[in-house]
Amino acid sequence: MKNLKIAIQKSGRLNEKSVQLLKNCGLDFENYKSSLITIVSNFNLEILFLRDDDIPDYVEQGIADLGIVGENVIDESLANVDYLQRLGFGKCTLKLAVPKDANYDDIKDLDGKSIATSYPNILGKFLKDKQISAEIHPISGSVEIAPGLGLSEAICDIVSTGGTLKNNGLKPFADVSTSEAILIGRSGLAENPILCELLQRIQSVLRAKETKYVVLNVEKTNLPQITELLQGVKSPTIVPLAEEGWVAVHTVIPEEDFWGKINTLKSAGAQGIVVMPIEKIIL
């Protein structure tokens, strides 16, 4: 069967987590730090290491079959690709920012102003939707210095902690869009058996990341209340303990649900609660 090609970022904020995701899917490959392409030894897949800005176009053109790239990069490229799976990492926000002493109270105050950005397509659509007429200055690189140099009155850029804005005398003003890493594919690939297998592996890893394996002990008289609280992947597993009248309850639940229920579980009689990570969940 012919190998599929997947493009990921060669360096940058998505590289490490993209590589880790593929390795968590059981894919065996080496030399990814020194090569532009590597072959997965135990799966029909080749990995291309590219600039993130190039990945959507490479996938659209069929040079790569798949890609892992930020949603903001996809939207800015306007490439015609299929969204296959949200990956839950690389989350960020594209924000408008203005000088900290600027007297802007509403997004409409940007009407007639100039805005510097590396994302003119995304910003242009945002401004059009808001019915704001502003001059967009496309800039690559250090967008945050544009107001200080007199090139613009505001900027639109990716913001994580906000430290860079603060260091350049700027403050966040409005959110334009949110982004995370996305697995994309070229058109017509949806039924490919290699892709279906890869998607199953990725989804099992993502489910496991969001859930925990929970084991607890409880008296049988309190079991109905406990099982009602622990509705997991299907239903809890109940195992009798050596001590008469006691059972162990095994289940898988979302981690955020567990922390919200822990005090209720204890009040219902749960004891010896053990929480463990899960490597994969295949439904």
Side-chain angles (χ1 to χ4, degrees):
M1 189 177 296
K2 183 180 177 182
N3 287 354
L4 292 183
K5 293 182 174 67
I6 183 170
I8 68 173
Q9 193 177 39
K10 180 171 178 57
S11 61
R13 64 190 184 90
L14 297 187
N15 170 264
E16 184 176 341
K17 289 190 175 181
S18 297
V19 168
Q20 190 60 54
L21 173 64
L22 296 178
K23 286 188 173 290
N24 287 345
C25 289
L27 306 185
D28 187 13
F29 56 93
E30 298 179 353
N31 301 323
Y32 64 89
K33 290 187 177 180
S34 58
S35 303
L36 295 177
I37 185 169
T38 188
I39 297 176
V40 177
S41 62
N42 60 347
F43 197 77
N44 294 101
L45 194 69
E46 297 175 25
I47 304 173
L48 309 180
F49 299 93
L50 306 172
R51 290 177 62 254
D52 58 346
D53 290 348
D54 294 333
I55 292 176
D57 289 336
Y58 272 53
V59 173
E60 180 182 33
Q61 296 165 18
I63 298 171
D65 302 291
L66 305 166
I68 295 177
V69 68
E71 189 172 6
N72 58 303
V73 177
I74 306 166
D75 291 345
E76 181 60 30
S77 73
L78 304 179
N80 180 23
V81 295
D82 293 338
Y83 280 48
L84 301 176
Q85 179 67 53
R86 292 184 173 274
L87 300 176
F89 61 83
K91 294 183 178 181
C92 61
T93 305
L94 188 64
K95 290 179 178 285
L96 284 163
V98 297
K100 61 183 179 181
D101 57 355
N103 188 23
Y104 297 154
D105 298 318
D106 186 85
I107 189 71
K108 293 290 186 180
D109 290 337
L110 291 177
D111 199 75
K113 302 296 190 296
S114 59
I115 307 172
T117 185
S118 297
Y119 300 93
N121 291 326
I122 296 176
L123 177 59
K125 182 179 183 303
F126 174 82
L127 295 176
K128 182 179 180 181
D129 291 343
K130 298 292 185 179
Q131 298 182 331
I132 296 171
S133 178
E135 184 180 359
I136 298 175
H137 288 290
I139 294 178
S140 59
S142 302
V143 176
E144 64 276 359
I145 67 173
L149 296 177
L151 297 176
S152 69
E153 293 157 290
I155 70 164
C156 177
D157 202 14
I158 293 294
V159 175
S160 51
T161 65
T164 302
L165 294 182
K166 185 176 180 180
N167 291 339
N168 286 275
L170 302 173
K171 62 181 179 181
F173 183 61
D175 290 353
V176 174
S177 65
T178 57
S179 175
E180 66 178 286
I182 306 282
L183 176 69
I184 59 173
R186 60 176 172 80
S187 298
L189 195 65
E191 301 302 320
N192 185 284
I194 301 174
L195 172 59
C196 292
E197 169 71 15
L198 181 62
L199 271 175
Q200 177 178 289
R201 294 192 185 197
I202 289 174
Q203 290 163 359
S204 73
V205 170
L206 296 178
R207 281 192 293 266
K209 185 179 179 181
E210 297 170 354
T211 56
K212 297 295 181 183
Y213 191 87
V214 178
V215 182
L216 56 86
N217 299 330
V218 65
E219 286 188 279
K220 286 184 179 180
T221 54
N222 295 326
L223 186 58
Q225 188 176 353
I226 293 294
T227 55
E228 180 66 25
L229 290 168
L230 295 177
Q231 296 297 324
V233 172
K234 195 165 188 180
S235 64
T237 299
I238 311 301
V239 181
L241 295 180
E243 184 175 348
E244 186 67 28
W246 283 77
V247 295
V249 179
H250 297 239
T251 192
V252 173
I253 63 173
E255 183 175 17
E256 60 182 22
D257 286 358
F258 172 78
W259 291 114
K261 293 177 178 177
I262 186 168
N263 289 328
T264 307
L265 288 168
K266 292 170 67 177
S267 297
Q271 298 181 16
I273 302 172
V274 178
V275 183
M276 294 172 282
I278 300 171
E279 186 173 331
K280 311 281 191 306
I281 295 180
I282 301 173
L283 300 179

